[in-house]
């Protein structure tokens, strides 16, 4: 069994990512983007692509580094610490993993564009208030040699800025995944800012034409392509949430060392020490679950689903605990917009819902174990 600690290459990757993100994507930049109403940063994403991050899961023949899922999680974890804004999970993880399942020249070309940072993707799956891919009702009706797509998608993360969309729709005998340009006739995007200052578009498809070339994988068998991609996205999101937890924890501990009451640093108070120690332990255990999920995906993604759900469930709980403790231990200042802890709390809330909330993943684990 692989040890649940980062190897030398992963440690070097984390250090490199940390150096770039501290300079290029501090939390102060997110605040500036929020205040300006900006939800994407194409220039910084291009810099990330130049560093090889956009191609972390892209085969070398398509211009990627093909470092694997564990490496992708390392990058996502570091992004979480500074709340970096990028389409990394949507494009470099979810879309790249889906396209890798298809062995043809078109998919290879699309992967090359992802790796170069020239094209970004968004996943259009959600229709109700909860994540439920199997329950998708959007219709893709056969029309000659192609299809006509009609329906609505919501909570399409990075959807307002994406160049292309991975759209899940119901066909005659199952679900089919389509890869279509975001500006195709009949695709109407309603951009909206989430509470974490990121975009999650509502997209309406009105008689959108799709040809056989737009189908990713086989008709009526979308989950063969999409399931591995969703698993990869959930693992990377869990890693980002754990990085978020570390960022909030670090900010809180720094405050405990500086803030004084009765002439004494509040970090000397035993009750606060116990709470900080408990949070640190939760982050460490969750980090092990993230590493395990990455290892399982790299070894055999077809049997990694339970490990991924465990990672996402734990990451959700840990992130919410981290931001709640952060706000409480900062006292009144923790509730103000002038202080950065609120950004961590808002991102934690949104991330908790994306790609399945705690209950969704807990139920999957329970079912796997026969409960």
């Amino acid at each position: 069994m692989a040890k649940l600690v980062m190897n030398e290459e992963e440690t070097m990757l984390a250090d490199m990512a940390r150096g770039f993100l501290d300079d290029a994507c501090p939390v102060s930049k997110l605040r500036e983007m929020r205040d300006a109403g900006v939800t994407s940063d194409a220039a910084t994403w291009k810099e990330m692509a130049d560093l090889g991050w956009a191609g972390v899961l892209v085969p070398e023949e398509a211009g990627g580094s093909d470092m694997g899922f564990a490496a992708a999680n390392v990058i996502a974890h570091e992004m979480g610490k500074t709340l970096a804004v990028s389409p990394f999970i949507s494009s470099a993880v979810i879309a790249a993993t889906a396209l890798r399942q298809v062995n043809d020249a078109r998919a290879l070309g699309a992967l090359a564009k992802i790796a170069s940072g020239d094209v970004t993707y968004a996943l259009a799956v959600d229709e109700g208030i909860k994540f439920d891919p199997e329950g998708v009702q959007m219709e893709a009706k056969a029309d000659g040699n192609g299809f006509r797509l009609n329906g609505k998608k919501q909570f399409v993360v990075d959807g307002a800025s994406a160049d292309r969309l991975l759209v899940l729709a119901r066909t005659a005998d199952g679900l089919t995944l389509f890869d279509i340009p975001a500006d195709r006739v009949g695709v109407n995007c309603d951009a909206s800012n989430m509470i974490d200052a990121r975009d999650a578009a509502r997209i309406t498809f009105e008689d959108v034409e799709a040809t056989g070339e737009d189908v990713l994988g086989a008709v009526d068998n979308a989950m063969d392509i999409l399931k591995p991609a969703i698993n990869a996205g959930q693992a990377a999101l869990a890693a980002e949430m754990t990085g978020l937890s570390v960022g909030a924890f670090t900010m809180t501990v720094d405050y405990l060392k500086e803030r004084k009451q009765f002439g004494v640093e509040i970090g000397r108070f035993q009750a606060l020490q116990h709470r900080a120690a408990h949070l640190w332990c939760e982050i460490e255990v969750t980090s092990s679950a993230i590493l395990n999920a990455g290892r399982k995906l790299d070894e055999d993604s077809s049997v990694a689903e339970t490990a991924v759900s465990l990672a996402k469930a734990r990451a959700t709980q840990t992130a919410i605990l981290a931001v709640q403790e952060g706000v409480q231990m900062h006292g009144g200042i923790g509730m103000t917009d002038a202080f950065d802890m609120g950004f961590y709390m808002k991102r934690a809330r949104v991330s908790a819902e994306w790609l399945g909330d705690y209950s969704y993943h807990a139920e999957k684990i329970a079912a796997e174990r026969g409960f």
Side-chain angles (χ1 to χ4, degrees):
M1 176 182 291
K3 294 182 179 179
L4 295 181
V5 293
M6 290 200 300
N7 59 36
E8 184 176 353
E9 288 185 356
E10 291 165 347
T11 301
M12 291 176 62
L13 177 61
D15 290 342
M16 180 272 290
R18 175 85 281 105
F20 173 79
L21 292 165
D22 283 344
D23 180 58
C25 304
V27 182
S28 59
K29 183 172 183 178
L30 174 62
R31 179 181 293 277
E32 292 173 1
M33 293 176 65
R34 190 279 307 270
D35 292 346
V38 177
T39 58
S40 63
D41 185 357
T44 301
W45 176 239
K46 187 61 176 177
E47 290 184 62
M48 293 178 180
D50 291 341
L51 290 171
W53 297 1
V56 67
L57 294 176
V58 174
E60 293 181 7
E61 59 265 35
S65 58
D66 201 10
M67 294 182 67
F69 297 104
N73 290 352
V74 169
I75 296 172
H77 181 268
E78 296 303 322
M79 286 182 170
K81 291 179 181 178
T82 62
L83 307 180
V85 176
S86 83
F88 178 74
I89 294 177
S90 298
S91 293
V93 177
I94 295 175
T97 302
L99 288 161
R100 284 186 65 130
Q101 311 306 309
V102 183
N103 187 22
D104 60 29
R106 175 187 173 281
L108 202 63
L111 284 164
K113 291 179 181 179
I114 289 176
S116 66
D118 293 330
V119 170
T120 61
Y121 276 80
L123 179 65
V125 169
D126 289 344
E127 296 177 357
I129 60 174
K130 292 295 182 181
F131 182 68
D132 182 20
E134 300 286 355
V136 162
Q137 295 301 312
M138 177 176 165
E139 183 182 34
K141 189 174 182 179
D143 181 27
N145 293 325
F147 299 88
R148 293 283 179 175
L149 277 60
N150 286 281
K152 296 181 179 181
K153 299 291 185 181
Q154 62 183 20
F155 200 19
V156 183
V157 175
D158 300 316
S161 58
D163 300 301
R164 300 189 68 86
L165 303 171
L166 292 181
V167 185
L168 185 62
R170 189 164 295 279
T171 42
D173 297 311
L175 296 170
T176 300
L177 186 64
F178 296 88
D179 176 359
I180 63 174
D183 60 357
R184 179 161 289 179
V185 175
V187 178
N188 301 301
C189 179
D190 179 16
S192 60
N193 292 359
M194 294 185 288
I195 60 170
D196 65 345
R198 299 283 295 273
D199 85 78
R202 295 181 177 89
I203 302 180
T204 302
F205 298 81
E206 297 180 355
D207 210 27
V208 176
E209 182 178 355
T211 68
E213 292 185 356
D214 296 321
V215 175
L216 200 59
V219 174
D220 297 326
N221 289 289
M223 299 314 291
D224 291 346
I225 303 296
L226 189 56
K227 187 175 179 180
I230 288 175
N231 284 341
Q234 290 165 338
L237 179 57
E240 182 185 285
M241 294 179 75
T242 307
L244 177 158
S245 300
V246 172
F249 174 76
T250 301
M251 184 183 298
T252 301
V253 170
D254 288 345
Y255 183 76
L256 295 181
K257 293 177 180 179
E258 296 172 357
R259 178 76 167 94
K260 290 185 178 181
Q261 286 186 353
F262 311 110
V264 178
E265 296 87 353
I266 61 176
R268 294 179 180 271
F269 299 161
Q270 193 174 60
L272 296 182
Q273 290 177 351
H274 287 172
R275 290 169 67 174
H278 171 65
L279 176 55
W280 181 85
C281 291
E282 290 297 311
I283 291 173
E284 288 297 299
V285 173
T286 301
S287 296
S288 293
I290 304 300
L291 283 168
N292 182 58
R295 299 280 190 266
K296 292 290 187 183
L297 284 167
D298 282 329
E299 291 168 7
D300 185 355
S301 61
S302 66
V303 296
E305 190 169 1
T306 300
V308 169
S309 282
L310 176 62
K312 178 60 164 66
R314 276 210 60 92
T316 297
Q317 282 190 317
T318 302
I320 290 175
L321 175 65
V323 296
Q324 287 178 342
E325 289 289 68
V327 168
Q328 290 182 21
M329 285 195 272
H330 275 88
I333 192 175
M335 295 296 295
T336 66
D337 183 68
F339 201 69
D340 287 342
M341 186 58 69
F343 286 95
Y344 285 90
M345 173 169 278
K346 292 169 184 176
R347 180 68 63 83
R349 291 297 184 183
V350 172
S351 298
E353 294 296 324
W354 191 28
L355 301 178
D357 60 11
Y358 177 84
S359 295
Y360 174 88
H361 290 285
E363 288 174 6
K364 287 180 67 174
I365 295 169
E368 176 69 21
R369 296 179 178 178
F371 292 102

